Amino acid sequence: QVQLVESGGGSVQAGGSLRLSCQASGYTYSRACMGWFRQAPGKEREGVAITLTGFGTSYADSVKGRFTAYRDNAKNTLYLQMNSLKPEDTAMYYCAAELNPIGGCSWSSIDYWGQGTHVTVSS
């Protein structure tokens, strides 16, 4: 079955960096859209970055220039490098997959979610 397992969350001071990882299994990883979403306490889940091989990566405006999502198709792994972290980046971060994208990725067409990894940024 499809599994998405995140790791790499933790606590960091503002201005610091973290790298999240998502190990995927149970489907053809290289053909899927892979994304990172986050949900802060009391807020709705929002898209952070989404990527498809050959189509590039889209980012939320709030993280552009600070976060980089990249994938290693040989390892079935998605990463999120987060730099210049701010307190408002504090949230649960989820890995997500859209298994059969047509013509690119859609933030609203996610088929599977991971359990999440928590990121806390202190000021």
Side-chain angles (χ1 to χ4, degrees), residues 16-107:
S17 299
L18 282 174
R19 188 181 78 161
L20 307 183
S21 300
C22 172
Q23 179 68 55
S25 61
Y27 64 99
T28 305
Y29 176 82
S30 61
R31 298 179 184 174
C33 284
M34 296 298 301
W36 289 101
F37 290 70
R38 67 185 181 186
Q39 187 168 19
K43 295 187 176 181
E44 292 187 354
R45 187 154 48 188
E46 62 176 355
V48 174
I50 196 163
T51 179
L52 175 63
T53 302
F55 285 81
T57 304
S58 297
Y59 294 93
D61 287 344
S62 58
V63 306
K64 283 180 181 177
R66 300 187 299 122
F67 290 10
T68 302
Y70 59 101
R71 56 195 297 166
D72 184 335
N73 287 345
K75 296 182 178 180
N76 287 5
T77 303
L78 175 71
Y79 301 95
L80 184 67
Q81 178 65 45
M82 304 186 294
N83 298 328
S84 302
L85 282 160
K86 304 176 181 180
E88 51 264 44
D89 294 319
T90 295
M92 185 73 80
Y93 283 72
Y94 297 92
C95 178
E98 177 189 357
L99 299 194
N100 297 296
I102 299 175
C105 298
S106 169
W107 295 100

